[in-house]
Amino acid sequence: MRLIQVTSEFLENFAENDEEEKEPEKMVLEGVNEEGEVMPSQADAAEDEVYHTTEKEDRNISRKEHRFFQLTVKKGEWQALAEIELPRGYPKKAPSFTLKMLQEGARKTAPSFSLTSVDPNALAVVDAARKNGEATDNALRSIEEELNTHAAAEAAAAGCPASRLLIYQLWTLKHCFAIYIDVVTGQPLHALREHRGRDRRLPFLYNPDTHSLDQRA
């Protein structure tokens, strides 16, 4: 199976030719593994039977001609896997990302508290969440939100051509993952605060008024 390097010209040609009725070409991106097509989970029903598909099966059938890829994003010892679903209607339909942490590095040492006003039970809950990986999962879900919910509108507002949306999303993934790793490893970060709100949102956005990173409202 031949390798195809992803360039802006490739994405533009893919977007222009996507509506043509032909058998989609199977491909593997350079440095990216193709996961394969999602096929219906059950065989076609016999002609003399009436078969009602489930919602999950309908969803899989509708995704039959989508393309699925995987890539690894790294910073230092930290590595995450990004699973990308490229719909047949791209770029009219935006790609979607799912993230999973593959390898974690060293975290910054948590500060010790001796103030009587600090609830020890609250600290225990936070520590348990970190050990169970909930903090990491929340951070990855917030990055997914930036990619799947906000990236398309922000790319259009920035004047990015629709055919280069995937490139913009990949840049956003690299940017957000780097900020997340800087926060958890204690690297200097030009931001007013590392977290905001009960969901501990990370400062993925640039605030031109303060010339610093800030959280989404």
Side-chain angles (χ1 to χ4, degrees):
M1 185 176 294
R2 63 193 181 95
L3 299 177
I4 300 177
Q5 185 176 7
V6 176
T7 64
S8 58
E9 291 78 10
F10 166 78
L11 292 174
E12 289 171 354
N13 292 333
F14 175 73
E16 292 174 358
N17 299 329
D18 192 53
E19 299 300 329
E20 296 182 6
E21 293 296 331
K22 62 180 181 180
E23 185 70 20
E25 178 186 7
K26 293 185 178 181
M27 62 179 184
V28 175
L29 307 184
E30 186 172 359
V32 180
N33 297 322
E34 182 177 16
E35 180 184 347
E37 297 178 344
V38 175
M39 303 299 292
S41 58
Q42 297 190 18
D44 295 337
E47 294 182 0
D48 58 346
E49 296 179 350
V50 176
Y51 178 72
H52 299 281
T53 59
T54 65
E55 180 180 351
K56 180 179 180 179
E57 290 168 340
D58 287 339
R59 185 167 59 250
N60 286 345
I61 292 173
S62 67
R63 299 167 63 197
K64 182 178 179 180
E65 294 183 342
H66 292 196
R67 297 177 181 180
F68 299 84
F69 307 99
Q70 294 181 336
L71 64 84
T72 302
V73 57
K74 303 178 182 179
K75 183 175 175 62
E77 299 176 347
W78 295 73
Q79 298 183 29
L81 176 69
E83 297 181 344
I84 308 170
E85 179 175 351
L86 194 66
R88 179 168 175 77
Y90 177 83
K92 295 180 180 178
K93 296 180 180 179
S96 61
F97 286 69
T98 303
L99 304 179
K100 180 175 67 174
M101 189 65 71
L102 295 179
Q103 176 177 307
E104 295 191 7
R107 294 174 177 265
K108 65 180 179 181
T109 304
S112 58
F113 296 94
S114 60
L115 300 177
T116 57
S117 59
V118 177
D119 185 354
N121 294 327
L123 293 178
V125 170
V126 173
D127 184 62
R130 288 175 176 171
K131 291 180 179 179
N132 293 333
E134 294 177 13
T136 298
D137 290 341
N138 289 340
L140 294 182
R141 300 296 82 78
S142 65
I143 296 176
E144 288 176 356
E145 181 179 357
E146 292 295 324
L147 298 170
N148 299 330
T149 304
H150 304 294
E154 293 179 349
C160 177
S163 59
R164 299 183 182 180
L165 173 58
L166 180 57
I167 294 177
Y168 185 91
Q169 288 176 303
L170 294 175
W171 176 87
T172 302
L173 170 61
K174 180 180 178 181
H175 164 77
C176 293
F177 188 74
I179 289 177
Y180 167 57
I181 301 307
D182 285 345
V183 169
V184 297
T185 58
Q187 300 300 313
L189 193 67
H190 192 55
L192 296 178
R193 52 201 165 191
E194 292 184 350
H195 301 94
R196 179 182 179 184
R198 297 183 62 181
D199 55 354
R200 298 179 63 78
R201 294 189 300 277
L202 293 168
F204 294 140
L205 304 182
Y206 176 74
N207 188 331
D209 296 330
T210 60
H211 302 287
S212 63
L213 297 171
D214 202 353
Q215 286 80 0
R216 189 177 295 280

